[in-house]
Amino acid sequence: MPQIPLHYVDLRTFCYATEDEKRVEQALRTFLPEEFEIDRAESEGHYGDRILVLSARVEKADDVRHVLSRLADLETFDQLIDELDERVTENTELFLRFDKQAAFEGAVRLGDGITFRAKVEAYPAKKEQAVENARAVLERLRDEE
């Protein structure tokens, strides 16, 4: 895949007190290149319970390609392309949510638990241009599979 029209990809998930931190980290790593650094921040829930926020910002082109290659494993990939107009914001950001349990098992499925946010390159910085650029990169990714 030649140029990637994404400035960066942010991945984030929460590890609640009832969850195993290593398993949650493993779920997040489903989308990341090997040995990629994950940031950790502790927070507190409404009832004082500990919540660990695990996140990673992927900026290098090869690493972004790796994350995108995982998207190609989506069974609903064509549906994702069709929904781009709803998934790209006015700020040219592409938002997806992935199933954390499926990711722990190494599968890529839309759902809840892991948030994916990618800043799409767009000149001019308009939603329509961002949707077009995101569509182009995802269609190229699909055609390479």
Side-chain angles (χ1 to χ4, degrees), residues 64-113:
V64 171
R65 280 186 191 92
H66 177 85
V67 174
L68 287 176
S69 73
R70 295 298 292 150
L71 295 186
D73 295 338
L74 267 172
E75 287 179 17
T76 56
F77 194 74
D78 287 331
Q79 179 184 344
L80 170 64
I81 292 172
D82 293 340
E83 295 172 350
L84 282 175
D85 198 49
E86 293 114 53
R87 295 184 175 276
V88 174
T89 68
E90 295 296 330
N91 292 329
T92 71
E93 295 168 316
L94 169 63
F95 280 95
L96 304 172
R97 291 178 56 92
F98 295 106
D99 184 310
K100 185 167 37 172
Q101 183 61 41
F104 170 71
E105 296 166 356
V108 178
R109 191 167 39 240
L110 294 177
D112 289 326

Side-chain angles (χ1 to χ4, degrees), residues 4-47:
I4 301 291
L6 301 176
H7 293 292
Y8 58 82
V9 174
D10 285 333
L11 292 161
R12 185 181 73 197
T13 190
F14 299 106
C15 179
Y16 299 99
T18 57
E19 295 178 306
D20 181 298
E21 183 180 331
K22 295 223 179 300
R23 291 172 64 113
V24 173
E25 179 180 332
Q26 182 178 336
L28 190 60
R29 288 199 178 281
T30 295
F31 300 93
L32 296 170
E34 273 188 52
E35 307 299 320
F36 200 86
E37 186 176 335
I38 293 178
D39 296 322
R40 289 168 163 69
E42 281 202 31
S43 189
E44 193 174 290
H46 183 69
Y47 298 103

Side-chain angles (χ1 to χ4, degrees), residues 87-145:
R87 295 184 175 276
V88 174
T89 68
E90 295 296 330
N91 292 329
T92 71
E93 295 168 316
L94 169 63
F95 280 95
L96 304 172
R97 291 178 56 92
F98 295 106
D99 184 310
K100 185 167 37 172
Q101 183 61 41
F104 170 71
E105 296 166 356
V108 178
R109 191 167 39 240
L110 294 177
D112 289 326
I114 298 175
T115 303
F116 169 105
R117 179 178 69 119
K119 182 68 171 176
V120 182
E121 275 184 20
Y123 303 103
K126 300 270 189 236
K127 177 181 177 174
E128 297 76 26
Q129 186 62 48
V131 168
E132 194 175 303
N133 290 350
R135 179 170 284 115
V137 74
L138 292 177
E139 286 175 347
R140 234 180 12 240
L141 184 63
R142 179 192 59 204
D143 296 343
E144 288 176 3
E145 288 299 308

